[in-house]
Amino acid sequence: MKIVTHDSSFHTDDVFAVATIFLVVGEAEVVRSRDQEVHKTADYVVDTGMEYNPSARHFDHHQPGGAGERENGIPYASFGLVWKEYGKKLAGGEKEAALIDRELVQPIDAHDNGVPIAEYKFKGVRDYAIGDFFSSFIESRDSDHLYTVFMHVAGIAKDLLKREISMAKKTIIQQEKILAFYDASLDRRLVIMPEEMTGWREVLGQTKEALYAVYPRPDGSWSLKCVPDFSKSYYGALRKPLPLEWAGKDGEEFQQMTGVQDAIFTHKNLFTAGARTKEGVLKLAEIALNA
């Protein structure tokens, strides 16, 4: 199999698009060229060629009008187009593919298309991105060197995708369990879980009633966590913060304040508290619910 992508500088988009195809076909030759005659020899053409035609395995988004956009308005780049075609099969299901698209593919597609998804608050400071990591391998602009680096980082991207797929499968299973705990709760404002479960904030943040989650920590103590409201921000404003007077309190002072003898602490930002026993943390949750 032969994959053709553009030569010269590479970006996160084309790196991950090629890495995704590696997962689809296994080993493949990669040629970096903008020559249309070379494109004709390819099994896959990615991020070059001015054509989006999945039946012909052409995945470019640079043509006039682009290659479409998602319902949320984020346009597709080559990574997104390839993932759209093969993600469900690779990830094992529609939910898993959608999760990876939201968390990994869409940010890369948005960046490649020059669409901001975050507002920077500090002048001259931005997030350190995957592309910055990839670029750190570049020591010259020599075409042979760029090819070597491209293949190296495409291998890294392939490994990352494999881990993200594995995590997505586990996350979807966990999310279904979390919803089951929510549905089974006598009081759906408080969801008790047997352990900290991947993605609980996102899942409970989409429910109508959940305010707090409770689960044991590895050391045997118990955590009380506030459920976020994702309708207000990505990180989620708290639906119901813990009582204001608890902020930053710990030890004996916190115990006397709450009447919970094994209470441990409350974070100063009021999103979490802890107790040494399940009974203790449930008492804290009761106080918080009634505050």
Side-chain angles (χ1 to χ4, degrees), residues 22-287:
F22 282 162
L23 292 180
V24 174
V25 303
E27 296 296 323
E29 177 188 5
V30 176
V31 177
R32 303 188 73 231
S33 173
R34 301 175 193 269
D35 187 331
Q36 293 293 325
E37 294 303 311
V38 175
H39 293 177
K40 293 177 183 179
T41 70
D43 296 290
Y44 294 86
V45 179
V46 174
D47 208 36
T48 188
M50 303 290 283
E51 180 184 19
Y52 170 47
N53 183 353
S55 62
R57 300 173 181 167
H58 289 184
F59 301 95
D60 195 19
H61 65 109
H62 294 100
Q63 56 272 25
E69 62 182 33
R70 299 166 176 83
E71 290 183 5
N72 63 8
I74 294 179
Y76 284 97
S78 61
F79 182 23
L81 295 175
V82 172
W83 188 256
K84 182 181 179 182
E85 184 70 14
Y86 303 111
K88 181 179 177 179
K89 179 179 179 180
L90 290 175
E94 188 171 339
K95 291 181 179 179
E96 293 83 353
L99 177 62
I100 294 171
D101 183 69
R102 185 178 73 248
E103 295 188 351
L104 178 64
V105 188
Q106 290 191 39
I108 291 173
D109 277 15
H111 178 78
D112 196 75
N113 281 293
V115 176
I117 60 174
E119 180 181 353
Y120 293 112
K121 296 183 178 181
F122 304 98
K123 185 177 181 179
V125 180
R126 64 169 177 82
D127 287 340
Y128 186 90
I130 298 175
D132 297 310
F133 170 64
F134 288 166
S135 295
S136 71
F137 291 93
I138 298 175
E139 297 178 357
S140 79
R141 293 292 168 179
D142 174 77
S143 60
D144 289 339
H145 175 70
L146 286 176
Y147 181 85
T148 299
V149 173
F150 180 90
M151 294 302 295
H152 179 65
V153 298
I156 294 173
K158 175 185 172 182
D159 289 342
L160 175 58
L161 272 169
K162 289 169 66 175
R163 291 197 299 274
E164 289 293 338
I165 289 170
S166 177
M167 288 176 59
K169 291 177 179 179
K170 294 176 183 177
T171 296
I172 295 302
I173 293 172
Q174 294 267 290
Q175 288 179 347
E176 292 173 351
K177 290 181 179 180
I178 293 164
L179 282 176
F181 289 127
Y182 169 76
D183 290 335
S185 298
L186 297 177
D187 182 348
R188 289 186 175 181
R189 297 178 301 167
L190 176 63
V191 180
I192 303 172
M193 299 182 292
E195 60 184 352
E196 182 174 8
M197 306 186 77
T198 303
W200 71 264
R201 298 174 76 256
E202 291 77 9
V203 174
L204 296 183
Q206 301 301 323
T207 65
K208 293 182 178 180
E209 300 172 69
L211 298 177
Y212 301 118
V214 163
Y215 54 82
R217 300 174 64 188
D219 64 2
S221 63
W222 283 72
S223 285
L224 169 63
K225 299 281 188 178
C226 296
V227 173
D229 181 357
F230 289 105
S231 67
K232 297 181 179 179
S233 73
Y234 173 80
Y235 292 103
L238 304 179
R239 285 183 172 179
K240 185 178 176 60
L242 298 174
L244 182 60
E245 61 271 19
W246 290 9
K249 298 298 190 296
D250 61 9
E252 185 175 346
E253 181 183 14
F254 187 38
Q255 294 165 4
Q256 291 178 351
M257 175 182 294
T258 59
V260 178
Q261 295 306 305
D262 64 354
I264 302 173
F265 80 104
T266 297
H267 195 279
K268 65 179 181 179
N269 291 331
L270 300 173
F271 67 90
T272 184
R276 300 196 184 283
T277 65
K278 181 179 180 179
E279 292 75 18
V281 85
L282 290 178
K283 179 62 177 177
L284 291 177
E286 180 184 356
I287 296 170

